[in-house]
Amino acid sequence: MIELLKQTIAALHGDMVSWRRHLHRHPELSFQEQKTVAYVIERLKAEGIEVRDGVGKLTPSSPGTGAIALVKGTKPGPSKCIALRADLDALPITEVGKDAYCSLNPGVMHACGHDAHTSMVLGAGIALHRLRSEWSGTVMLVFQPGEEKEPGGASLLVKEDVLNNPKPSGILGQHVTPELPIGKLGFRSGAFMAAADELYIAVKGRGGHAGSPHLCVDPVVIAAQLILALQQVVSRNNKPGRPMVLSLGKVIANGATNIIPDEVTIEGTLRTFDEAWRTELHALLPELAKGICKGLGGDVDFTIVKGSPVVKNDPELTARIRAAAVEFVGEENIVDMDIRMGAEDFAYYTHVMPGCFFRVGTGNPAKPGTQSGLHRAEFDIDEDALAIGAGMMAWGALSELARRRLLT
Ligand code: NI
């Protein structure tokens, strides 16, 4: 079966490259993926695959730019189900390079490889459909909108409860990465990626002439104290060895050389792995900020917008998918990865069903752009990875369905 699958995927590689390049040329921002999802649905329907559209609604009246397809094996046997997830959205970045398939939408770019994820799940689904007489059960293809933006398309699909007919016993997700060379697959059991929350802080003072600070309450100096105090939570309050990051990437004090402003606004991100500590921090950080700002004569509004939880890779499912990956690419091509402080809305699925999120190497020093980091204007992938990622998704699904068949 593995050889048959590899041949089927190899025959689809040219198609996957052209789908990926089409999507790359026509990127759409989070929750605006109308053309992207229509393109995916067209390809699925042309193969005779059943699709449900209009899922992942941001508001009750929005169209829902996600789709769920069911690929059914026709070999007699028990009807189990496994889900494969792809994300559809692009980022607000102006692309550079790639003459052959550069973005045609100014200021929008597939800089996180979601075009590749979509092409790979499409390829996996179509390959499995073409081999449907060889296996039994159902493979659910989940094309979700809005991975890059809160509240995360995955959270909407979970809330809409659309991953239930039939109910998958687990879900697989993948992400391209330039950190791994082409040919490699990266796995980690248990907690893999961080919970991420957004911080919005407004330090309030009383502005005035910069030459008369005694008549003002200077929010810039208060903000400076607050920024350092927040880092001390990481180094002093946090238990050593417990992963945590607090970064403040935006600080605006809109005064002038001779003007003390009324307010300083600060924005940042809080990354954690421990849910209890995360909850504690949501109380501790605003309390600390209040104490500092009030103590210095000002005040503060401290808002925390809760984002994705931790990506929890189910240890049993991950062990089985890793074993399937050894069969597919060989032990020498498996990399056991460390935790990452990045976030991923795939996390939401992993809190309602067993999940396995793995990395697909796309770096190749011989191909320009493939060494560039994610979310950068130069980002590109080695397209040979499309066959590896699609094949691994399909092989992972077949392995799970076959395993369950043995057990029943
Ligand atoms: Ni991404």
Side-chain angles (χ1 to χ4, degrees), residues 12 17 51 101 177 180 195 209 229 238 247 280 310 318 366 368 372 377 392:
L12 278 165
V17 169
V51 196
Y101 47 93
T177 180
L180 293 181
H209 199 295
N238 185 39
S247 293
E280 242 180 276
V310 170
T318 304
S372 156
M392 186 54 226

Side-chain angles (χ1 to χ4, degrees), residues 234-306:
V234 183
S235 68
R236 301 291 81 184
N237 300 68
N238 185 39
K239 188 166 71 184
R242 179 167 55 188
M244 173 186 176
V245 166
L246 192 156
S247 293
L248 304 171
K250 188 171 176 182
V251 180
I252 297 179
N254 206 11
T257 56
N258 55 356
I259 302 169
I260 291 173
D262 282 323
E263 190 177 272
V264 173
T265 57
I266 304 173
E267 292 179 16
T269 183
L270 174 66
R271 307 283 167 121
T272 51
F273 267 83
D274 179 320
E275 196 60 37
W277 175 232
R278 182 190 189 194
T279 306
E280 242 180 276
L281 284 166
H282 285 199
L284 175 67
L285 298 178
E287 198 182 298
L288 175 78
K290 269 265 183 259
I292 290 170
C293 297
K294 286 205 158 177
L296 293 169
D299 205 350
V300 68
D301 284 340
F302 201 111
T303 307
I304 301 178
V305 177
K306 216 170 168 183

